Amino acid sequence: MNAKSGIAPNLTLDEFRKVVCSRRSVRRFTEEPVPDHVLDDCLELAMLAPNSSNLQPWEFYVVRTPDLKAKLAEACLGQNAAKTAPVLIAVVARTDTWRKHSRMALEQWPEEKLPGIVEKYYSKIVPIHYNQGPFGLFGAAKKAAGLFVGLTRPVPRGPYSPNEMKIWATKSTALAAENLMLALRAHGYDSCPMEGFDECRVRRLLKLLKKGQVTMILAAGKRSEKGVYNRQYRFDKDDLVHYL
């Protein structure tokens, strides 16, 4: 791909379809380990996911140490996917890295010349847009201003609170998690995203900071013969897709 011109390469739809359609939530894995080079490549592809303002509010905790993995599987309520997977990956959304990452966005700008609009966005707009202030007071003031200005023209509606920041970070992090799962499948491995876990115990095990939100625990490895419990099905598309 020519990054400068933005010209996209020709792709094979059939291969992409095979990756998407063969991805399943695998509940039992073999003991075969996931090679380091596969994990590294999958995580790099995960980090290419689209995300809000390119602030990349995610972290990935790759757990392979047997003792820690066993404790993490217990915190995942003893699910078979967690107990049998050779690797567990905690996908964490961060609400507190936007300041640091906005500076990094300027410092690591990939072009020779930094556009003025980009510098203005990260140095002036981002500190206002994502800052909630002490006790969320600045966020509340922004919400009031947004309600007033929004009477006459479109305006951004949030994030206006610490809780809305969690939603903001989780949306981008979930996109990265999907990239990670599809990358594993493309490499011939499988995964199972788990929401069923004791977050307090997971936090303690991984020594997470308070503002790190555990979006999911991802089990990864080679699927066993009984790794998929049932045939895949989805609800009627006509009920869920609306053309306007």
Side-chain angles (χ1 to χ4, degrees), residues 63-131:
V63 179
R64 291 181 295 184
T65 306
D67 182 56
L68 181 57
K69 187 164 66 69
K71 292 177 180 177
L72 187 56
E74 183 181 357
C76 291
L77 313 181
Q79 296 181 61
N80 285 330
K83 290 193 298 183
T84 62
V87 60
L88 296 175
I89 304 172
V91 183
V92 178
R94 293 288 297 271
T95 62
D96 59 337
T97 57
W98 61 266
R99 289 184 179 86
K100 176 184 176 182
H101 289 186
S102 63
R103 293 193 297 269
M104 290 169 61
L106 293 174
E107 295 166 358
Q108 300 180 25
W109 182 254
E111 307 292 342
E112 184 175 344
K113 181 176 175 58
L114 178 67
I117 190 171
V118 173
E119 183 176 12
K120 179 181 179 182
Y121 182 77
Y122 285 110
S123 63
K124 295 182 179 180
I125 296 177
V126 164
I128 294 174
H129 188 62
Y130 296 106
N131 187 12

Coordinates of all heavy atoms in Angstrom, one line a residue, residues 63-131:
V63 N -0.9 -12.8 29.0 CA -0.7 -13.7 30.2 C -0.4 -15.1 29.7 O -1.3 -15.7 29.2 CB -1.8 -13.6 31.2 CG1 -1.5 -14.5 32.4 CG2 -2.1 -12.2 31.6
R64 N 0.9 -15.5 29.9 CA 1.2 -16.9 29.5 C 1.9 -17.7 30.7 O 2.0 -18.9 30.6 CB 2.2 -16.9 28.3 CG 1.5 -16.5 27.0 CD 2.5 -16.5 25.9 NE 3.5 -15.5 26.0 CZ 4.5 -15.3 25.1 NH1 4.5 -16.0 24.0 NH2 5.4 -14.4 25.3
T65 N 2.3 -17.0 31.7 CA 2.9 -17.6 32.9 C 1.9 -18.5 33.5 O 0.7 -18.1 33.9 CB 3.3 -16.6 33.9 OG1 4.2 -15.6 33.3 CG2 4.1 -17.2 35.0
P66 N 2.2 -19.8 33.6 CA 1.1 -20.8 34.1 C 0.4 -20.4 35.4 O -0.8 -20.5 35.5 CB 2.0 -22.1 34.3 CG 3.1 -22.0 33.3 CD 3.4 -20.5 33.3
D67 N 1.2 -20.0 36.4 CA 0.5 -19.7 37.7 C -0.4 -18.5 37.5 O -1.6 -18.6 38.0 CB 1.6 -19.4 38.7 CG 1.0 -19.1 40.1 OD1 0.2 -20.0 40.6 OD2 1.2 -18.0 40.6
L68 N 0.0 -17.4 36.9 CA -0.8 -16.2 36.7 C -2.0 -16.6 35.8 O -3.1 -16.1 36.1 CB 0.0 -15.1 36.2 CG -0.8 -13.8 35.9 CD1 -1.4 -13.3 37.3 CD2 0.2 -12.7 35.4
K69 N -1.8 -17.3 34.8 CA -2.8 -17.7 33.9 C -3.9 -18.5 34.6 O -5.1 -18.3 34.3 CB -2.3 -18.5 32.7 CG -3.3 -18.7 31.6 CD -2.6 -19.1 30.3 CE -1.9 -20.5 30.4 NZ -2.9 -21.6 30.6
A70 N -3.5 -19.4 35.5 CA -4.5 -20.2 36.2 C -5.3 -19.3 37.1 O -6.5 -19.5 37.3 CB -3.7 -21.3 37.0
K71 N -4.7 -18.3 37.8 CA -5.4 -17.4 38.6 C -6.4 -16.6 37.8 O -7.5 -16.3 38.3 CB -4.4 -16.6 39.4 CG -3.6 -17.3 40.5 CD -2.6 -16.4 41.2 CE -1.8 -17.2 42.2 NZ -0.8 -16.3 42.8
L72 N -5.9 -16.1 36.6 CA -6.8 -15.3 35.8 C -7.9 -16.1 35.3 O -9.1 -15.6 35.2 CB -5.9 -14.7 34.6 CG -6.6 -13.7 33.7 CD1 -7.1 -12.5 34.5 CD2 -5.7 -13.2 32.6
A73 N -7.7 -17.4 35.0 CA -8.8 -18.3 34.5 C -9.8 -18.4 35.6 O -11.0 -18.4 35.4 CB -8.3 -19.6 34.1
E74 N -9.4 -18.5 36.9 CA -10.3 -18.6 38.0 C -11.1 -17.3 38.1 O -12.3 -17.4 38.4 CB -9.5 -18.8 39.3 CG -10.4 -19.0 40.5 CD -9.6 -19.2 41.8 OE1 -8.3 -19.3 41.7 OE2 -10.2 -19.3 42.9
A75 N -10.5 -16.2 37.9 CA -11.2 -14.9 37.9 C -12.2 -14.8 36.8 O -13.1 -14.0 36.9 CB -10.2 -13.7 37.9
C76 N -12.0 -15.6 35.7 CA -12.9 -15.6 34.6 C -14.0 -16.7 34.9 O -14.6 -17.3 33.9 CB -12.2 -15.9 33.3 SG -11.1 -14.6 32.7
L77 N -14.2 -17.0 36.2 CA -15.3 -17.8 36.6 C -15.1 -19.3 36.2 O -16.0 -20.1 36.1 CB -16.6 -17.3 36.1 CG -16.9 -15.8 36.4 CD1 -18.3 -15.4 35.9 CD2 -16.7 -15.4 37.8
G78 N -13.8 -19.6 35.9 CA -13.5 -21.0 35.5 C -14.1 -21.5 34.2 O -14.3 -22.7 34.0
Q79 N -14.3 -20.5 33.3 CA -14.8 -20.9 32.0 C -13.8 -21.8 31.3 O -12.6 -21.6 31.4 CB -15.0 -19.6 31.1 CG -16.1 -18.7 31.7 CD -16.3 -17.5 30.8 OE1 -16.6 -17.6 29.6 NE2 -16.0 -16.3 31.3
N80 N -14.3 -22.7 30.5 CA -13.4 -23.7 29.8 C -12.4 -23.0 28.8 O -11.3 -23.4 28.7 CB -14.3 -24.7 29.0 CG -14.9 -25.7 29.9 OD1 -14.4 -26.1 30.9 ND2 -16.1 -26.2 29.5
A81 N -12.9 -21.9 28.2 CA -12.0 -21.2 27.3 C -10.8 -20.6 28.0 O -9.7 -20.7 27.6 CB -12.8 -20.0 26.6
A82 N -11.1 -20.1 29.2 CA -10.0 -19.5 30.0 C -9.1 -20.6 30.6 O -7.9 -20.4 30.6 CB -10.6 -18.7 31.2
K83 N -9.6 -21.7 31.0 CA -8.8 -22.8 31.6 C -8.0 -23.5 30.6 O -6.9 -24.0 30.9 CB -9.7 -23.8 32.3 CG -10.4 -23.3 33.5 CD -11.0 -24.4 34.4 CE -12.1 -25.1 33.6 NZ -12.8 -26.1 34.5
T84 N -8.4 -23.6 29.3 CA -7.7 -24.5 28.3 C -6.8 -23.7 27.4 O -6.0 -24.2 26.8 CB -8.7 -25.3 27.5 OG1 -9.6 -24.4 26.8 CG2 -9.5 -26.2 28.4
A85 N -7.0 -22.3 27.3 CA -6.3 -21.5 26.3 C -4.8 -21.4 26.8 O -4.5 -21.2 28.0 CB -6.9 -20.1 26.2
P86 N -3.9 -21.5 25.8 CA -2.4 -21.4 26.2 C -2.1 -19.9 26.5 O -1.0 -19.7 27.1 CB -1.7 -21.9 25.0 CG -2.7 -21.7 23.8 CD -4.0 -21.9 24.4
V87 N -2.9 -19.0 26.1 CA -2.6 -17.6 26.4 C -3.9 -16.8 26.6 O -4.9 -17.1 26.0 CB -1.8 -16.9 25.2 CG1 -2.6 -17.0 23.9 CG2 -1.5 -15.5 25.5
L88 N -3.9 -15.9 27.6 CA -5.0 -15.1 27.9 C -4.6 -13.6 27.7 O -3.5 -13.3 28.1 CB -5.5 -15.3 29.3 CG -6.1 -16.6 29.6 CD1 -6.5 -16.7 31.1 CD2 -7.3 -16.9 28.8
I89 N -5.4 -12.8 27.0 CA -5.0 -11.4 26.8 C -6.1 -10.5 27.4 O -7.3 -10.6 27.0 CB -4.9 -11.2 25.3 CG1 -3.9 -12.1 24.6 CG2 -4.5 -9.7 25.0 CD1 -3.8 -12.0 23.1
A90 N -5.7 -9.7 28.3 CA -6.6 -8.7 28.9 C -6.6 -7.5 28.0 O -5.6 -6.9 27.8 CB -6.3 -8.4 30.3
V91 N -7.8 -7.1 27.5 CA -7.9 -6.0 26.6 C -8.4 -4.8 27.5 O -9.6 -4.9 28.0 CB -8.8 -6.3 25.4 CG1 -8.9 -5.1 24.5 CG2 -8.3 -7.5 24.7
V92 N -7.6 -3.8 27.7 CA -7.9 -2.8 28.7 C -8.1 -1.4 28.0 O -7.3 -1.0 27.1 CB -6.8 -2.7 29.7 CG1 -7.1 -1.6 30.7 CG2 -6.7 -4.0 30.4
A93 N -9.2 -0.7 28.3 CA -9.4 0.6 27.8 C -8.9 1.6 28.9 O -9.2 1.5 30.1 CB -10.9 0.8 27.6
R94 N -8.2 2.6 28.4 CA -7.6 3.6 29.4 C -8.3 5.0 29.1 O -8.4 5.5 28.0 CB -6.1 3.8 29.1 CG -5.3 2.6 29.5 CD -5.3 2.4 31.0 NE -4.6 3.5 31.7 CZ -3.3 3.5 31.9 NH1 -2.5 2.5 31.5 NH2 -2.8 4.6 32.5
T95 N -8.8 5.6 30.2 CA -9.5 6.9 30.1 C -8.5 8.0 30.5 O -8.9 9.2 30.4 CB -10.7 7.0 31.0 OG1 -10.3 6.8 32.4 CG2 -11.7 5.9 30.7
D96 N -7.3 7.6 30.9 CA -6.4 8.6 31.5 C -5.1 8.9 30.6 O -4.2 9.5 31.1 CB -6.0 8.2 32.9 CG -5.3 6.9 32.9 OD1 -5.5 6.1 32.0 OD2 -4.6 6.6 33.9
T97 N -5.1 8.3 29.4 CA -3.8 8.4 28.6 C -4.0 9.5 27.5 O -3.0 9.7 26.8 CB -3.4 7.1 28.0 OG1 -4.5 6.6 27.2 CG2 -3.1 6.0 29.1
W98 N -5.1 10.1 27.4 CA -5.3 11.0 26.3 C -4.4 12.2 26.3 O -3.9 12.7 25.3 CB -6.8 11.5 26.2 CG -7.3 12.2 27.4 CD1 -7.9 11.7 28.5 CD2 -7.1 13.6 27.6 NE1 -8.2 12.7 29.4 CE2 -7.7 13.9 28.9 CE3 -6.6 14.7 26.9 CZ2 -7.8 15.2 29.4 CZ3 -6.6 16.0 27.4 CH2 -7.2 16.2 28.7
R99 N -4.0 12.7 27.5 CA -3.1 13.8 27.5 C -1.7 13.4 27.0 O -1.1 14.1 26.1 CB -2.9 14.3 29.0 CG -4.1 15.1 29.6 CD -3.7 15.6 31.0 NE -4.8 16.3 31.6 CZ -5.8 15.7 32.2 NH1 -5.8 14.4 32.4 NH2 -6.8 16.4 32.7
K100 N -1.2 12.3 27.5 CA 0.1 11.8 27.0 C 0.1 11.5 25.6 O 1.0 11.8 24.8 CB 0.5 10.6 27.9 CG 1.8 9.9 27.4 CD 2.0 8.6 28.2 CE 3.3 7.9 27.7 NZ 3.5 6.6 28.5
H101 N -1.0 10.8 25.1 CA -1.1 10.4 23.7 C -1.3 11.6 22.8 O -0.9 11.5 21.6 CB -2.2 9.3 23.6 CG -1.8 8.0 24.2 ND1 -2.6 6.9 24.1 CD2 -0.7 7.7 24.9 CE1 -2.0 5.9 24.7 NE2 -0.9 6.3 25.3
S102 N -1.9 12.6 23.2 CA -2.1 13.8 22.4 C -0.7 14.4 22.1 O -0.4 14.9 21.0 CB -3.0 14.8 23.0 OG -2.6 15.3 24.2
R103 N 0.2 14.4 23.1 CA 1.5 14.9 22.9 C 2.3 14.0 22.0 O 3.1 14.5 21.1 CB 2.3 15.1 24.3 CG 1.7 16.1 25.2 CD 2.6 16.4 26.4 NE 2.8 15.2 27.2 CZ 2.1 14.9 28.3 NH1 1.1 15.7 28.6 NH2 2.3 13.9 29.0
M104 N 2.1 12.7 22.2 CA 2.8 11.7 21.3 C 2.4 11.9 19.9 O 3.2 11.7 19.0 CB 2.6 10.3 21.9 CG 3.3 10.0 23.2 SD 2.7 8.5 24.0 CE 3.2 7.3 22.7
A105 N 1.1 12.2 19.7 CA 0.6 12.3 18.3 C 1.3 13.4 17.6 O 1.5 13.3 16.4 CB -0.9 12.6 18.4
L106 N 1.7 14.5 18.3 CA 2.4 15.6 17.7 C 3.9 15.2 17.5 O 4.5 15.5 16.5 CB 2.3 16.9 18.6 CG 0.9 17.5 18.6 CD1 0.9 18.6 19.6 CD2 0.5 18.0 17.3
E107 N 4.5 14.6 18.5 CA 5.9 14.3 18.5 C 6.2 13.2 17.4 O 7.3 13.2 16.8 CB 6.3 13.8 19.9 CG 6.3 14.8 21.0 CD 6.4 14.2 22.4 OE1 6.5 13.0 22.5 OE2 6.4 15.0 23.3
Q108 N 5.2 12.3 17.2 CA 5.5 11.2 16.3 C 4.7 11.3 14.9 O 4.5 10.4 14.2 CB 5.1 9.9 17.0 CG 5.9 9.6 18.2 CD 5.5 8.3 18.9 OE1 5.0 7.4 18.3 NE2 5.7 8.2 20.2
W109 N 4.4 12.6 14.6 CA 3.7 12.8 13.3 C 4.5 12.2 12.2 O 5.7 12.6 12.1 CB 3.4 14.3 13.1 CG 2.6 14.6 11.9 CD1 3.1 15.1 10.7 CD2 1.3 14.3 11.7 NE1 2.2 15.2 9.8 CE2 1.0 14.8 10.3 CE3 0.2 13.8 12.4 CZ2 -0.3 14.7 9.8 CZ3 -1.0 13.7 11.9 CH2 -1.3 14.2 10.6
P110 N 4.0 11.4 11.3 CA 4.8 10.7 10.3 C 5.3 11.5 9.1 O 6.1 11.0 8.4 CB 3.9 9.5 9.9 CG 2.5 10.1 10.1 CD 2.6 11.0 11.3
E111 N 4.7 12.6 8.9 CA 5.1 13.4 7.7 C 6.2 14.4 8.1 O 6.4 14.7 9.3 CB 3.9 14.2 7.2 CG 2.7 13.3 6.9 CD 2.9 12.4 5.7 OE1 3.9 12.6 4.9 OE2 2.2 11.4 5.6
E112 N 6.8 14.9 7.1 CA 7.9 15.9 7.4 C 7.4 17.2 8.0 O 8.1 17.7 8.8 CB 8.7 16.2 6.0 CG 9.9 17.0 6.2 CD 10.6 17.2 4.9 OE1 10.4 16.4 3.9 OE2 11.4 18.2 4.8
K113 N 6.3 17.6 7.5 CA 5.7 18.9 8.0 C 4.4 18.6 8.8 O 3.6 17.9 8.3 CB 5.4 19.8 6.8 CG 4.9 21.2 7.3 CD 4.7 22.1 6.1 CE 4.0 23.4 6.5 NZ 4.8 24.2 7.5
L114 N 4.3 19.2 10.0 CA 3.2 19.1 10.8 C 2.1 20.1 10.4 O 2.4 21.3 10.5 CB 3.5 19.2 12.3 CG 2.4 19.2 13.3 CD1 1.8 17.8 13.3 CD2 2.8 19.6 14.7
P115 N 0.9 19.7 9.9 CA -0.1 20.7 9.5 C -0.5 21.5 10.7 O -0.7 21.0 11.8 CB -1.2 19.8 8.9 CG -0.6 18.5 8.5 CD 0.5 18.3 9.6
G116 N -0.8 22.8 10.4 CA -1.2 23.6 11.5 C -2.5 23.2 12.1 O -2.7 23.3 13.3
I117 N -3.4 22.6 11.3 CA -4.7 22.2 11.9 C -4.5 21.0 12.8 O -5.2 20.8 13.8 CB -5.7 21.8 10.7 CG1 -7.1 21.6 11.3 CG2 -5.2 20.6 9.9 CD1 -8.2 21.4 10.2
V118 N -3.5 20.2 12.5 CA -3.2 19.0 13.4 C -2.7 19.5 14.7 O -3.0 19.0 15.8 CB -2.3 18.0 12.7 CG1 -1.8 16.9 13.7 CG2 -2.9 17.4 11.5
E119 N -1.7 20.4 14.6 CA -1.1 21.0 15.8 C -2.2 21.6 16.7 O -2.2 21.5 17.9 CB 0.0 22.0 15.5 CG 0.7 22.5 16.7 CD 1.8 23.4 16.3 OE1 2.0 23.8 15.1 OE2 2.6 23.8 17.2
K120 N -3.1 22.4 16.1 CA -4.1 23.1 16.8 C -5.0 22.1 17.5 O -5.4 22.2 18.7 CB -4.9 24.0 15.9 CG -6.1 24.7 16.6 CD -6.9 25.6 15.6 CE -8.0 26.3 16.3 NZ -8.8 27.1 15.3
Y121 N -5.4 21.0 16.8 CA -6.3 20.0 17.3 C -5.7 19.4 18.6 O -6.4 19.3 19.6 CB -6.6 18.9 16.3 CG -7.6 17.9 16.8 CD1 -9.0 18.2 16.8 CD2 -7.2 16.7 17.2 CE1 -9.9 17.3 17.3 CE2 -8.1 15.8 17.7 CZ -9.5 16.1 17.7 OH -10.4 15.2 18.2
Y122 N -4.5 18.9 18.5 CA -3.9 18.1 19.6 C -3.5 19.0 20.8 O -3.5 18.6 21.9 CB -2.8 17.2 19.1 CG -3.3 16.0 18.4 CD1 -3.0 15.9 17.0 CD2 -3.9 15.0 19.1 CE1 -3.5 14.8 16.3 CE2 -4.4 13.9 18.4 CZ -4.2 13.8 17.0 OH -4.6 12.6 16.4
S123 N -3.1 20.3 20.4 CA -2.6 21.1 21.5 C -3.7 22.0 22.1 O -3.5 22.4 23.3 CB -1.5 22.0 20.9 OG -2.0 22.9 19.9
K124 N -4.8 22.2 21.4 CA -5.8 23.1 22.0 C -7.2 22.5 22.1 O -7.8 22.6 23.1 CB -5.9 24.4 21.1 CG -4.6 25.2 21.1 CD -4.8 26.5 20.3 CE -3.5 27.3 20.3 NZ -3.6 28.5 19.5
I125 N -7.6 21.8 21.1 CA -9.0 21.2 21.1 C -9.0 20.0 22.0 O -10.0 19.9 22.8 CB -9.4 20.9 19.7 CG1 -9.5 22.2 18.9 CG2 -10.8 20.2 19.7 CD1 -9.9 22.0 17.4
V126 N -8.1 19.0 21.8 CA -8.1 17.8 22.6 C -8.1 18.1 24.1 O -8.9 17.5 24.9 CB -7.0 16.9 22.3 CG1 -6.7 15.8 23.3 CG2 -7.2 16.2 20.9
P127 N -7.3 19.0 24.6 CA -7.3 19.3 26.1 C -8.6 19.8 26.6 O -8.9 19.7 27.8 CB -6.2 20.4 26.3 CG -5.3 20.1 25.1 CD -6.1 19.7 24.0
I128 N -9.4 20.5 25.7 CA -10.7 20.9 26.1 C -11.8 19.8 26.0 O -12.6 19.6 26.9 CB -11.1 22.2 25.3 CG1 -10.2 23.3 25.6 CG2 -12.6 22.5 25.5 CD1 -10.5 24.5 24.7
H129 N -11.7 19.1 24.9 CA -12.7 18.1 24.6 C -12.8 17.0 25.5 O -13.9 16.5 25.9 CB -12.6 17.6 23.1 CG -13.7 16.8 22.6 ND1 -15.0 17.2 22.5 CD2 -13.7 15.5 22.3 CE1 -15.7 16.2 22.1 NE2 -15.0 15.2 21.9
Y130 N -11.6 16.5 25.9 CA -11.6 15.3 26.8 C -11.3 15.5 28.3 O -11.5 14.6 29.1 CB -10.5 14.3 26.3 CG -10.8 13.8 24.9 CD1 -10.1 14.3 23.8 CD2 -11.8 12.9 24.7 CE1 -10.3 13.8 22.5 CE2 -12.0 12.4 23.4 CZ -11.3 12.9 22.3 OH -11.6 12.4 21.0
N131 N -11.0 16.7 28.6 CA -10.8 17.1 30.0 C -12.1 17.2 30.7 O -13.0 18.0 30.3 CB -10.0 18.4 30.1 CG -9.6 18.7 31.5 OD1 -9.7 17.9 32.4 ND2 -9.1 19.9 31.7

